[in-house]
Amino acid sequence: MTDQFSEDEIVYGDSWGLVHRGVLEDREIERMKALRDKVYGKNGVAVTTMKPIGRVEIEGEVYEARLENGYLDVRTPVTVIGIDFGYLLVKELKMEAK
């Protein structure tokens, strides 16, 4: 059985998939959308060890975050790739060699 949902019925991130409105209250979906719009694509730094959950600092504010996968040490650069049930979904920001 395939369900069709309108964009208004879902909250989505680049890599974590879809969450149907029946799972979350409307105000929680709006809070997640606002958080996504505020931090999506921004870079920051891990302020705790990420195993895979920890805290990151983005533009002077500290947020609860979850790694896409793996483990990161404190002060590791990260980038926000989505929102996952109230956590920022982050991955390590790899610096290019010059």
Side-chain angles (χ1 to χ4, degrees), residues 9-96:
E9 294 175 311
I10 59 176
V11 174
Y12 57 95
D14 263 4
S15 65
W16 60 277
L18 306 177
V19 179
H20 182 262
R21 186 177 291 278
V23 176
L24 300 172
E25 294 182 16
D26 288 348
R27 68 174 178 252
E28 185 65 13
I29 290 173
E30 293 306 316
R31 186 182 74 78
M32 288 173 55
K33 283 181 179 180
L35 181 59
R36 180 196 64 206
D37 293 345
K38 182 178 181 181
V39 299
Y40 180 80
K42 302 252 174 113
N43 298 330
V45 64
V47 294
T48 65
T49 302
M50 308 275 303
K51 326 181 201 182
I53 294 175
R55 291 181 180 209
V56 298
E57 183 178 333
I58 309 287
E59 296 184 338
E61 292 188 52
V62 176
Y63 299 93
E64 294 289 324
R66 184 175 69 77
L67 280 172
E68 189 176 32
N69 55 45
Y71 169 96
L72 292 178
D73 290 321
V74 175
R75 294 183 298 281
T76 302
V78 297
T79 191
V80 180
I81 59 172
I83 305 297
D84 188 12
F85 287 100
Y87 287 99
L88 301 188
L89 185 59
V90 300
K91 69 177 184 179
E92 183 176 4
L93 179 61
K94 305 274 185 178
M95 299 294 180
E96 293 183 21

